[in-house]
Amino acid sequence: MMTSLLKSLLAAVALCAALGVSAQELKIGYVNGERVLREATPAKAAQAKLEAEFKKRETELNDVGTKLRAAMDKLDKDGPTLPEAERSRRQRDLSDQQRDFDRKRRELLEDLNQRKNEELAAVTERASKVIKQIFEQEKYDLILQEVVFAGPRVDITKKVIDALNAGK
């Protein structure tokens, strides 16, 4: 089965052949999107912003988790000496606390993922604008983002990162 990338490349080559453009005249570029999101200053700033935004909630949740584990360990240790009614009450309380902790952890992860997606979308949009700008200015025929192999001659990832870092 052909991937969409291979189909796109074959279509571009067929179009060039139909227009009489040789492979030597075809200008192709490649951008490593993962590298852009890992190395570009706006991506690093977005990551730092997310860490700062969620650090307090994460710390509080970790503290609650530590206290909950300590309470469970104490119940395991003291359980055999406690009256049945007291032990059952503490188990119910700890079970309720565990459910509340799990709910808060899920909410934190959902909020973090949502914000991460928002920040990544903003960086990706800026990167797309930079790629389009490079495409137009340097008169590329085709710029690809997801490929199996790409040689250094067609890799324009550094140009994109530098342009993003420069705020273009």
Side-chain angles (χ1 to χ4, degrees), residues 35-137:
R35 186 171 153 213
V36 170
L37 292 177
R38 192 176 55 244
E39 295 177 15
T41 302
K44 290 178 182 178
Q47 181 65 31
K49 181 179 174 182
L50 287 172
E51 288 173 6
E53 187 176 327
F54 286 92
K55 185 172 181 64
K56 182 180 177 191
R57 279 178 64 186
E58 189 176 337
T59 302
E60 289 172 356
L61 194 60
N62 287 338
D63 291 345
V64 169
T66 301
K67 289 175 185 175
L68 184 59
R69 279 190 294 282
M72 287 178 172
D73 290 344
K74 184 171 176 15
L75 179 62
D76 287 344
K77 180 182 171 190
D78 297 344
T81 60
L82 291 174
E84 182 63 33
E86 178 66 16
R87 186 177 51 207
S88 294
R89 185 190 63 75
R90 286 189 186 181
Q91 285 175 333
R92 275 192 311 276
D93 288 347
L94 288 175
S95 180
D96 290 345
Q97 290 175 22
Q98 181 69 45
R99 272 193 302 280
D100 188 48
F101 173 76
D102 291 342
R103 180 185 52 78
K104 286 180 180 177
R105 184 175 50 194
R106 273 191 312 276
E107 288 173 357
L108 174 67
L109 290 175
E110 288 171 3
D111 292 348
L112 177 61
N113 283 332
Q114 181 180 352
R115 287 287 297 124
K116 190 177 202 178
N117 289 339
E118 291 169 0
E119 292 293 329
L120 283 176
V123 172
T124 302
E125 184 178 329
R126 287 180 62 191
S128 292
K129 288 178 182 176
V130 166
I131 293 167
K132 184 176 181 190
Q133 199 172 33
I134 292 170
F135 176 83
E136 291 169 351
Q137 288 174 350

